[in-house]
Amino acid sequence: MKKMSVVAIGLALLMSVTSFGQLPDKMQWFRDAKLGIFIHWGIYAVNGVSESWSFHNRQISYTDYMAQLKGFTASSYKPEAWVELIKASGAGYAVLTTKHHDGVALYPTRWNDLNVVKATPAKRDLVAPFYKALRSAGLKVGAYYSLLDWSHPDYTGFLKDSSRYKREDDPARFGRFLQFCHGQITELMDVYKPDLIWFDGDWEHPGTSWDAPQIRKIILDRHPGAIINSRLGEYGDYATPEQNMPITQPDRKEWELCMTPNYNWGYRPSDSAYKTPYELITIFADVVGRGGNLLFNIGPKPDGTLPAEQMAQLQALARWNKKNGEAIFSTVAGLPEGHFYGPTTLSKDSTTLYLFLPSQAGGSAMIKGLKNAIKSIEVVGNGQKLGHKVVGKISWSEVPGLVYINALPQSSLDKEMTVLKLTLDGPVKLYRGKGGFH
Ligand code: GLC
């Protein structure tokens, strides 16, 4: 009996290994997800000040900042409603701030009393019900966790111009902090088992001082498939550019651009500079076209409701993805620079090419250097067929001509971005040369 089960386990293990003898790729769901929703929820929403930085940078005193604990009610928090919007937006995962730089945990940590259960009128675990709702909707669960903790008495940093001590001067004290920090990470893994851990705040100390290899071990021992972002010294799995759009491909294959809905991560009613649906979707298409994910942020109010503007942003993503999702989800990065004036994606077998056109691009779209014959062109989401012509193809040259696609009828234009689907005669083949013989 015992022998049988050992054989069965061995077989199951063998079957989970791909034909190339490798373990299944833990990054695959992340690569396919394309869109994640970041959630910065914390006591900073009470006064609408910047998350943690407002006291660190002395815009508000630490005492006044912490007084916000009293106003953090979560009284109308409906995690299922958040998840409904998140799922509809097309996102495949969400990342919630379990603890920001201010040290306030959104869950009942056993390591101190600075958590919403013990220190705020919310009086309950806010992480667990959200994760439960995400999981029942089939979405992956992410935990943002700030390594640095400006509230912890054994942590080095506090205000921008006043630190508690220097790590080198008191390694034992920093060791006590690390015990706390590693303890919270262990606890997060044991209790919530997130699929993705999104570290932040590593910049105040090198990876060795955080004992990053040990942190990685804590996580992977408990969840071997867990994904870790790059803000853990050199020990993460994917790159996380922040706010700034990469112009060239980031060095790591997997990357995720995190971006605020306006200029802020947390809820700040004073900031009305919300990105428009057009901006949001052109950014999203650009990121996906380069093989990245967009981690779009929302900042709920202290009562747990979402600002109307942010709900509208998620709804705009939902509308557009519902119509154009086939060009986004489960595709891969599109053509390299130089072939098309805009974002593109390819099906995984690269026989379908998607071109993303800005809303009012009523003219004729053009592709350079495409060696394939095009079998058909249609507008994604409404099936409208389009013709094309090949311009400037010289019979004796290997250089392909320019493909001009017939202009789109007004009625086929999407409000934000219109997507064209080109079915090719086989996997994409490109000409990348300099155009001539002499
Ligand atoms: C920065 C900020 C932080 C924010 C994070 C999100 O690291 O310190 O406030 O949570 O970016 O990426």
Side-chain angles (χ1 to χ4, degrees):
M1 191 58 195
K2 224 176 185 178
K3 216 169 177 185
M4 273 300 287
S5 58
V6 171
V7 171
I9 292 169
L11 259 179
L13 265 175
L14 256 181
M15 282 165 70
S16 68
V17 168
T18 67
S19 50
F20 300 100
Q22 286 159 355
L23 287 170
D25 182 354
K26 74 168 187 177
M27 299 303 290
Q28 196 57 51
W29 71 259
F30 180 81
R31 235 174 262 135
D32 287 342
K34 311 296 183 194
L35 180 66
I37 301 299
F38 212 176
I39 301 167
H40 275 68
W41 196 25
I43 62 166
Y44 35 86
V46 172
N47 291 350
V49 293
S50 78
E51 74 294 342
S52 309
W53 291 98
S54 48
F55 75 81
H56 182 79
N57 288 336
R58 291 187 183 276
Q59 287 143 5
I60 171 173
S61 71
Y62 183 69
T63 315
D64 286 349
Y65 184 90
M66 282 299 161
Q68 295 178 101
L69 285 165
K70 297 276 159 288
F72 193 75
T73 63
S75 54
S76 302
Y77 175 41
K78 294 196 181 64
E80 297 78 17
W82 288 11
V83 170
E84 205 179 307
L85 272 167
I86 292 171
K87 178 149 183 144
S89 77
Y93 61 107
V95 181
L96 175 65
T97 46
T98 60
K99 190 199 79 172
H100 204 262
H101 312 329
D102 59 12
V104 183
L106 283 195
Y107 68 97
T109 176
R110 67 176 180 84
W111 288 88
N112 65 14
D113 289 347
L114 192 50
N115 61 73
V116 294
V117 185
K118 291 216 168 120
T120 74
K123 279 197 168 55
R124 62 197 193 281
D125 184 349
L126 302 176
V127 174
F130 179 55
Y131 283 0
K132 185 164 176 247
L134 283 173
R135 288 199 165 106
S136 31
L139 302 183
K140 296 283 185 186
V141 159
Y144 167 106
Y145 180 81
S146 171
L147 292 164
L148 69 80
D149 187 326
W150 290 325
S151 284
H152 196 283
D154 284 323
Y155 185 65
T156 47
F158 179 38
L159 306 180
K160 63 173 178 181
D161 47 9
S162 114
S163 297
R164 293 190 181 86
Y165 68 104
K166 280 208 175 91
R167 194 185 65 243
E168 311 77 82
D169 296 345
D170 197 344
R173 189 172 177 190
F174 197 72
R176 283 201 298 279
F177 174 72
L178 269 196
Q179 206 187 347
F180 161 82
C181 164
H182 289 200
Q184 280 198 323
I185 296 167
T186 309
E187 173 181 74
L188 276 174
M189 292 313 298
D190 284 342
V191 180
Y192 303 101
K193 300 181 182 54
D195 305 299
L196 186 154
I197 299 84
W198 212 101
F199 286 115
D200 197 16
D202 67 339
W203 65 82
E204 289 198 346
H205 301 282
T208 44
S209 302
W210 294 112
D211 201 353
Q214 174 60 17
I215 295 183
R216 197 172 164 91
K217 185 170 178 325
I218 292 173
I219 295 168
L220 297 181
D221 278 354
R222 286 164 178 79
H223 188 344
I227 297 177
I228 304 168
N229 77 334
S230 59
R231 300 187 187 180
L232 180 64
E234 295 300 303
Y235 293 88
D237 296 314
Y238 70 91
T240 49
E242 178 171 326
Q243 301 281 32
N244 303 312
M245 175 71 85
I247 302 301
T248 55
Q249 199 77 19
D251 293 338
R252 277 179 186 258
K253 190 161 144 245
E254 279 86 19
W255 61 278
E256 174 199 65
L257 174 68
C258 57
M259 205 173 243
T260 48
N262 41 11
Y263 278 104
N264 284 279
W265 297 104
Y267 172 59
R268 292 197 76 180
S270 60
D271 178 358
S272 57
Y274 280 100
K275 294 180 176 74
T276 64
Y278 174 75
E279 290 157 1
L280 198 50
I281 284 157
T282 45
I283 290 167
F284 179 46
D286 202 300
V287 167
V288 175
R290 291 163 197 276
N293 285 4
L294 178 68
L295 183 64
F296 178 65
N297 181 76
I298 54 175
K301 298 183 187 181
D303 68 356
T305 56
L306 298 178
E309 297 89 338
Q310 298 178 15
M311 288 172 68
Q313 286 174 317
L314 292 180
Q315 282 154 355
L317 281 165
R319 180 202 70 79
W320 189 83
N321 275 330
K322 193 163 175 224
K323 177 172 165 198
N324 298 291
E326 77 156 272
I328 293 284
F329 305 108
S330 300
T331 62
V332 293
L335 307 179
E337 294 309 314
H339 293 273
F340 180 68
Y341 301 134
T344 62
T345 57
L346 283 161
S347 58
K348 284 182 180 164
D349 65 2
S350 90
T351 62
T352 305
L353 170 64
Y354 296 98
L355 309 179
F356 295 74
L357 310 170
S359 52
Q360 295 314 316
S364 166
M366 187 262 270
I367 312 171
K368 291 177 272 187
L370 181 67
K371 288 181 165 181
N372 301 73
I374 296 171
K375 297 214 291 205
S376 69
I377 304 179
E378 72 175 60
V379 181
V380 174
N382 78 3
Q384 161 90 48
K385 301 273 184 213
L386 294 177
H388 71 283
K389 72 180 199 184
V390 177
V391 174
K393 171 75 189 111
I394 309 298
S395 61
W396 44 260
S397 167
E398 54 141 354
V399 182
L402 308 173
V403 175
Y404 278 88
I405 300 173
N406 293 355
L408 281 152
Q410 279 295 320
S411 58
S412 289
L413 290 176
D414 187 273
K415 277 203 286 186
E416 327 299 355
M417 285 198 109
T418 308
V419 186
L420 302 184
K421 173 184 184 172
L422 277 64
T423 306
L424 309 177
D425 61 353
V428 72
K429 286 185 281 205
L430 298 173
Y431 168 75
R432 303 273 301 150
K434 297 196 191 317
F437 293 92
H438 301 291

